[in-house]
Amino acid sequence: MSFLEVLYFIVPSAIFYAAPLILVAIGGVFSERSGVINIGLEGLMVIGAFVGILFNLLYADTFGSATPWVALVAAMFAALLLSLLHAVASITFRADQVVSGVAINLLAAALSIYLVKRIFDKGQTDFITERFSRYNVPFLSDIPVIGPLLFKSVYNTSFFAIGIAVLAWFVIYKTPFGLRLRAVGEHPMAADTMGINVTRMRYIAVMISGSLAGMGGAIYAQTITNDFGHATINGQGFMALAAMIFGKWHPLGAMGAALFFGFAQSLSIVGSSIPYISEIPNVFLLILPYVLTILALAGFIGRAHAPLAIGKPYIKGQR
Amino acid sequence: MSNRATNLLVPIISVILGLLVGAVIMLVSGYDPLKGYAALWNGIFGDLYTIGETIRQITPYLLAGLAVAFAFRSGLFNIGVEGQLIVGWFAAAYVGVAVELPKIIHLPLAILAAAVAGAIWGFVPGLLKAKFRVHEVIVTIMMNYIALHVTNALIRTVSDGGDRTGNIYASASLRSEFLQNLTEFSRLHFGIIIALVMVGVMWLILEKTTLGFELKAVGFNQNASQYAGMNVNKNIILAMVISGAFAGLGGAMEALGTFEYVSSKGGFTGIGFDGIAVALLGMNTPLGVVFGATLFGSLKYGALNMPNAAGIPIEIVEIVIAVIIFFVASGYIIRLLLLRASAKKKEAK
């Protein structure tokens, strides 16, 4: 296999694995930029995947080839609702945000499998028939090298995810809303003094993170697994959390990290058929994203600092 | 109402709310909650065999709960109990199958291996927290996944590509004929005694030693402890190491007592995550952990009876557990409501 052939093999698959991670990681960026830790990303992804698959199975006849996209919207709302629970606990009830996130994860995993068993009478759903389709981007796919690398038989969900990343960068860094969001996460009291409603900003941020994580889960389920069971979202949410930290709480950084993690994931899956890489024990590729995140946090890969007010409930009048 | 009473009421109210939410969900999805909870009750206390199995299930929860609670007391949040338990499980099973020794050496060695493995897995986040101020929550989550993948790979290597190791030698087993005869041949093993001893050990460390005093002081206020001349960094690392050792012992219970082997896992055991709930419910005290572990171990084992006896998926109990954690974490709002309620009572008087 020539080097170029290896690239043609790996790069599309890396982007394919990265797309859901990008969305979820950016969801994490929104929440944490406002000062709310969201360990619940995993659970929000699970609910998104479950509702996405369920909707797809139930309404495939009604919506035809548009089904996966409509299912994406349904998944988004379901995860948004669940994220509200996290928001209520961690913002209004002043719960420990990490504990609340853990509860969200446990709840999502249990609730979705409970419903799967209730509806399908078995541990996992049927396979969906209407899937996101791959297609060649006209003209662009004819460009030599770049064409087959980036534009041949791609999922439009990949472009969707990258588009969201750019949009998130614009929103967080170029709009008044983004400025307020960051202010609330860095110094909520100062923001409050300037007339920003801290509680409302945080609610909105957590809801955005829920919507994005739900969509990420639905994309993951509808492109990679095509059914839903207890192992469908096996740590993808935590991987996205890792991507967010590795990307230093920046939307484009998170996207870059997600692409890299997608690359590592695709290597661990298709690597066995690629020379040299097949000789590396699989386990090293599997743990790579996690090890890298620890190294990044320890400051070996450039220091990043989390939003200052992260993890602390804002109590008016308390310094 | 006194502070102590509210502290006790918050977990109790949370458990009741959790069971209520579970009942509502069963009702909405067309099951009979009374039948469901009756099946749960029988699954826990049905006969001597189920009681034995329930106690067996409580054993790892005790140690997982101690691990989380111990770290909490030093102001650290150890979400890595799951990973520490997994490496402990592997280490104990490995020592159990790799060599055959007299029981008096073999069993302690296997248990020690598990504690050391867990301690190492706790040392990494502790060190990073102490040296680089890296938040332990994220590191321990990442260490969980590393533990899962690494032990799976090691199991494949040890078993020549298989999915599980062979059974451990009898000389490393915690199996107890006495306890089995007592409980109609359940898998109840001597691990429960080890776990209860560890409850005492944690109490001793926290209440009777200088180390325990320092750990608690660091948990209350790092700056004050530093000013008082304590070595905060050393204490952070020690707390994570001891916490990890408790978690590793929890793995030994599974490796040497319940299963007597280790198999590769598609996902987490969940014991470590439930340990968070156990610790929270027990207000991070050793005695509280006993109550928390008893509750969660019972719920988990009793749930297995629900599909057969009432046709209800076991996940309903997991939902109940998640809701309990949610409400315990939101203790502030419960306290507030309790306060209002008692204020009203005073006015009425």
Side-chain angles (χ1 to χ4, degrees):
Chain A
M1 213 188 270
S2 77
F3 179 67
L4 211 54
E5 275 172 319
V6 171
L7 275 189
Y8 290 163
F9 193 40
I10 279 191
V11 171
S13 133
I15 298 176
F16 163 71
Y17 276 103
L21 282 181
I22 294 174
L23 284 175
V24 184
I26 293 198
V29 170
F30 271 98
S31 171
E32 304 224 338
R33 277 286 178 188
S34 82
V36 180
I37 299 176
N38 201 345
I39 301 244
L41 286 178
E42 171 89 2
L44 295 167
M45 247 187 120
V46 168
I47 285 296
F50 166 64
V51 172
I53 292 288
L54 186 68
F55 189 91
N56 192 313
L57 286 169
L58 292 178
Y59 294 103
D61 294 336
T62 321
F63 294 107
S65 59
T67 314
W69 289 101
V70 189
L72 210 59
V73 177
M76 186 182 95
F77 278 110
L80 191 149
L81 280 180
L82 185 66
S83 73
L84 265 180
L85 213 56
H86 180 56
V88 170
S90 57
I91 302 168
T92 307
F93 291 177
R94 300 178 195 172
D96 184 314
Q97 295 167 3
V98 175
V99 181
S100 161
V102 170
I104 295 288
N105 287 339
L106 293 176
L107 185 65
L111 193 64
S112 57
I113 293 297
Y114 177 80
L115 290 172
V116 165
K117 283 188 178 166
R118 181 78 189 98
I119 298 167
F120 296 88
D121 241 342
K122 54 182 179 182
Q124 61 199 86
T125 66
D126 302 322
F127 282 95
I128 53 170
T129 47
E130 288 293 340
R131 307 173 47 178
F132 281 114
S133 44
R134 289 161 179 266
Y135 66 105
N136 297 334
V137 183
F139 307 117
L140 291 178
S141 60
D142 297 329
I143 306 172
V145 188
I146 309 258
L149 209 56
L150 298 176
F151 300 111
K152 210 161 226 173
S153 82
V154 285
Y155 285 97
N156 33 22
T157 49
S158 303
F159 294 116
F160 176 67
I162 294 169
I164 290 279
V166 176
L167 184 69
W169 165 78
F170 183 80
V171 168
I172 293 178
Y173 284 97
K174 301 288 167 195
T175 64
F177 172 81
L179 185 65
R180 289 187 196 131
L181 182 83
R182 284 178 290 143
V184 161
E186 293 292 333
H187 202 317
M189 202 175 68
D192 194 5
T193 320
M194 297 305 288
I196 300 170
N197 187 332
V198 176
T199 308
R200 195 173 63 197
M201 280 309 289
R202 289 192 168 173
Y203 263 90
I204 294 172
V206 173
M207 278 153 62
I208 294 176
S209 89
S211 323
L212 290 175
M215 283 199 280
I219 289 180
Y220 188 85
Q222 291 182 92
T223 55
I224 295 170
T225 57
N226 296 315
D227 72 340
F228 182 83
H230 74 277
T232 300
I233 306 292
N234 193 2
Q236 290 294 316
F238 289 114
M239 192 90 102
L241 195 72
M244 176 197 74
I245 294 165
F246 202 60
K248 301 181 178 176
W249 289 270
H250 188 289
L252 299 181
M255 179 181 77
L259 281 168
F260 180 77
F261 288 176
F263 180 70
Q265 257 181 310
S266 71
L267 270 190
S268 70
I269 288 158
V270 301
S272 54
S273 46
I274 299 170
Y276 301 114
I277 292 175
S278 58
E279 284 160 33
I280 305 172
N282 202 16
V283 59
F284 291 110
L285 296 169
L286 283 172
I287 65 173
L288 185 66
Y290 307 113
V291 174
L292 278 176
T293 303
I294 292 177
L295 292 178
L297 278 170
F300 296 125
I301 311 176
R303 213 159 216 350
H305 80 95
L308 273 178
I310 205 159
K312 296 184 202 97
Y314 176 63
I315 301 163
K316 238 180 169 41
Q318 195 186 62
R319 279 198 274 183
Chain B
M1 204 179 308
S2 75
N3 212 0
R4 207 188 166 91
T6 11
N7 275 346
L8 268 174
L9 270 176
V10 169
I12 294 172
I13 291 175
S14 301
V15 170
I16 295 171
L17 284 174
L19 290 171
L20 271 178
V21 171
V24 169
I25 291 176
M26 280 191 264
L27 213 57
V28 168
S29 45
Y31 298 119
D32 179 358
L34 284 179
K35 226 172 129 189
Y37 282 137
L40 180 66
W41 180 265
N42 287 331
I44 303 169
F45 302 109
D47 49 35
L48 279 174
Y49 174 82
T50 48
I51 291 176
E53 283 286 309
T54 303
I55 299 174
R56 175 193 61 74
Q57 187 72 62
I58 290 169
T59 313
Y61 282 105
L62 274 172
L63 289 157
L66 287 182
V68 179
F70 195 85
F72 256 133
R73 288 301 278 275
S74 322
L76 298 162
F77 195 176
N78 184 4
I79 303 201
V81 171
E82 181 72 35
Q84 292 145 13
L85 188 135
I86 290 175
V87 292
W89 186 336
F90 174 81
Y94 179 74
V95 172
V97 290
V99 284
E100 195 177 8
L101 296 162
K103 185 147 194 158
I104 191 101
I105 305 169
H106 200 181
L107 181 57
L109 192 69
I111 293 173
L112 190 70
V116 170
I120 293 172
W121 233 250
F123 173 74
V124 175
L127 180 77
L128 292 176
K129 170 93 178 181
K131 292 274 173 225
F132 302 105
R133 297 287 134 194
V134 179
H135 205 295
E136 73 279 6
V137 165
I138 306 293
V139 180
T140 48
I141 289 176
M142 301 300 140
M143 293 292 287
N144 283 345
Y145 282 94
I146 297 174
L148 185 67
H149 292 305
V150 168
T151 50
N152 279 350
L154 287 173
I155 290 163
R156 259 195 305 281
T157 317
V158 171
S159 60
D160 294 322
D163 271 342
R164 54 164 279 188
T165 62
N167 282 358
I168 57 168
Y169 284 108
S171 56
S173 172
L174 281 167
R175 191 187 294 217
S176 143
E177 259 179 49
F178 170 70
L179 290 175
Q180 284 183 335
N181 287 336
L182 214 61
T183 55
E184 292 173 4
F185 300 99
S186 74
R187 284 176 294 171
L188 183 60
H189 53 81
F190 277 135
I192 184 69
I193 295 166
I194 297 179
L196 289 173
V197 167
M198 285 303 143
V199 172
V201 167
M202 170 161 161
W203 180 81
L204 275 178
I205 296 179
L206 281 180
E207 305 301 332
K208 298 287 163 200
T209 65
T210 326
L211 171 71
F213 181 80
E214 288 199 7
L215 289 178
K216 283 189 291 181
V218 170
F220 278 126
N221 190 332
Q222 285 198 3
N223 298 328
S225 318
Q226 184 99 46
Y227 185 68
M230 295 174 194
N231 187 340
V232 171
N233 286 349
K234 191 194 82 185
N235 281 319
I236 287 175
I237 297 176
L238 256 177
M240 284 304 287
V241 165
I242 297 174
S243 169
F246 279 134
L249 284 177
M253 299 301 110
E254 303 296 84
L256 309 175
T258 307
F259 294 99
E260 305 199 315
Y261 62 83
V262 57
S263 56
S264 65
K265 299 174 182 59
F268 290 124
T269 65
I271 299 171
F273 297 121
D274 292 337
I276 300 168
V278 169
L280 283 173
L281 209 61
M283 292 168 295
N284 304 318
T285 61
L287 196 63
V289 165
V290 175
F291 288 113
T294 307
L295 180 74
F296 282 106
S298 309
L299 284 178
K300 276 282 171 131
Y301 184 73
L304 299 177
N305 189 39
M306 293 179 83
N308 286 332
I312 301 173
I314 53 174
E315 280 74 20
I316 190 71
V317 163
E318 319 244 341
I319 298 176
V320 170
I321 290 180
V323 174
I324 293 175
I325 302 180
F326 182 82
F327 282 115
V328 175
S330 310
Y332 159 77
I333 199 77
I334 299 180
R335 269 169 234 271
L336 199 71
L337 293 176
L338 282 174
L339 214 67
R340 288 219 179 124
S342 66
K344 249 183 209 157
K345 230 182 247 167
K346 251 180 211 160
E347 267 172 38
K349 268 178 197 166

